[in-house]
Amino acid sequence: MNPPRQRTHWRRRPSACWVLEGLVVLLLAASSAQAVEVRPSTFDTISEEGRQALESARFDDALCIFERAQVMAAGDEESGWRALLGLGLTYENLGRLPEAVAAYRSFLARSEALEDGLTEAWRQKRAIVLETVEQLHRRLMATHALVTVESTP
């Protein structure tokens, strides 16, 4: 008699993830075939799709989109900040508050180094995010023990 098979639970990826990955592959292929810069408009498109997913309460799709946006933003600080803010909002809406705090703190840490050169709009965003982190931290401390580890590579 064979032993019972253990079930492996796989999280099904939202369909938008597959479409998004296909779009990224096509855009990368097109950019390598042509000598044009498509990265900024691609990031903006992905970021807008994430914003729309958030507004439509499609939080799993938004998470996938903003994770992809974060990868695409490598090397571009402002785009990286936008992706982190999108991730923070998404995690917050999913009720994953520790992850939201981590994304927001990452944004604050990365943007702090350039604080002197920030526009007024980014300074205001930083102030809002700082207040949001404090509020989330208070909510978490009421029901959870919160341990955070910060390191510098």
Side-chain angles (χ1 to χ4, degrees):
M1 178 177 260
N2 293 335
R5 295 177 69 191
Q6 288 187 331
R7 285 191 152 170
T8 304
H9 296 282
W10 295 94
R11 182 169 178 246
R12 190 166 170 237
R13 296 179 77 184
S15 60
C17 290
W18 297 109
V19 172
L20 191 57
E21 287 178 358
L23 177 65
V24 169
V25 168
L26 288 174
L27 288 171
L28 288 175
S31 68
S32 65
Q34 302 173 355
V36 294
E37 177 67 38
V38 296
R39 188 170 167 268
S41 63
T42 301
F43 178 85
D44 290 342
T45 301
I46 298 300
S47 182
E48 178 61 22
E49 287 177 15
R51 188 190 62 75
Q52 289 174 2
L54 273 175
E55 288 181 356
S56 303
R58 295 180 292 118
F59 303 124
D60 287 333
D61 290 344
L63 181 60
C64 177
I65 292 167
F66 284 121
E67 285 174 344
R68 175 65 64 196
Q70 189 176 22
V71 170
M72 292 176 71
D76 180 358
E77 280 301 319
E78 188 172 322
S79 295
W81 298 343
R82 289 170 52 199
L84 285 168
L85 291 175
L87 281 171
L89 283 169
T90 303
Y91 284 132
E92 193 174 346
N93 281 291
L94 286 168
R96 294 169 57 178
L97 302 185
E99 289 100 329
V101 169
Y104 290 143
R105 282 186 177 168
S106 182
F107 160 73
L108 290 170
R110 288 175 59 177
S111 61
E112 182 178 29
L114 303 172
E115 192 169 10
D116 292 337
L118 292 178
T119 64
E120 185 58 31
W122 279 110
R123 288 177 198 267
Q124 290 175 358
K125 288 176 188 176
R126 277 185 51 81
I128 291 167
V129 170
L130 189 57
E131 178 61 30
T132 301
V133 167
E134 291 171 3
Q135 290 173 1
L136 291 175
H137 186 72
R138 283 192 297 272
R139 283 176 56 192
L140 283 168
M141 293 308 291
T143 58
H144 297 78
L146 179 65
V147 176
T148 58
V149 177
E150 295 183 23
S151 66
T152 305

